[in-house]
Amino acid sequence: MTTPSTERIHLCRAYDIRAGAVPVGARLLVDRLWPRGIAKTDLPIDAWLKDVTPSPTLCKWFGHDPAKWDSFSEQYLAELHKNPQAVEIALDWCRKGPVTLIYAAKDRLHTHALVLRAYLAASLAKERTP
């Protein structure tokens, strides 16, 4: 189920953009490291939000292991909650209009970008609730 907030926050793999996908709205790279094999001139982004990504320790522990997904998601949400300045920067972009969160992970079902999108959407929904 999508909410009005999540409809404004899109996801796209960096490699899909290189293959011709066109992101919607502001293009925000949400990986700590630049995507391998893509030149900086070949990935048009509006901002690189390194500080809103999972910590290197959490990423290393997760290792893109789907069996660790639930625990990873909980730990990443806790990191986001403890990092309001970085989240606020992402929210500012979302308040201006649609955004596409760009990530490099191969697994589209177990990427931090999904957790980040849900967190941002929930934050925006809280702002709209009196």
Side-chain angles (χ1 to χ4, degrees):
M1 180 175 153
T2 60
T3 66
S5 296
T6 57
E7 290 172 1
R8 296 175 50 102
I9 305 171
H10 306 272
L11 301 177
C12 187
R13 288 188 69 235
Y15 304 99
D16 293 341
I17 294 170
R18 187 173 68 176
V22 179
V24 176
R27 299 159 302 217
L28 309 175
L29 180 60
V30 293
D31 275 341
R32 190 166 298 275
L33 302 175
W34 192 264
R36 281 189 183 169
I38 298 179
K40 290 186 179 176
T41 56
D42 291 341
L43 186 61
I45 60 171
D46 295 297
W48 187 1
L49 306 182
K50 295 179 191 179
D51 293 336
V52 79
T53 64
S55 66
T57 302
L58 181 56
C59 287
K60 185 175 180 178
W61 170 81
F62 176 47
H64 299 285
D65 180 354
K68 296 179 178 178
W69 175 248
D70 290 339
S71 181
F72 168 81
S73 297
E74 289 175 16
Q75 292 178 60
Y76 180 39
L77 286 170
E79 287 185 356
L80 289 169
H81 187 69
K82 292 177 184 175
N83 194 359
Q85 291 174 327
V87 170
E88 187 60 30
I89 292 169
L91 286 170
D92 282 344
W93 281 99
C94 295
R95 290 181 193 112
K96 294 175 188 172
V99 300
T100 296
L101 304 179
I102 300 168
Y103 65 96
K106 290 179 186 178
D107 186 343
R108 296 170 193 270
L109 300 177
H110 303 98
T111 173
H112 72 283
L114 287 167
V115 178
L116 178 59
R117 177 176 65 177
Y119 189 87
L120 295 173
S123 297
L124 292 170
K126 283 181 189 175
E127 289 177 359
R128 294 185 181 106
T129 303

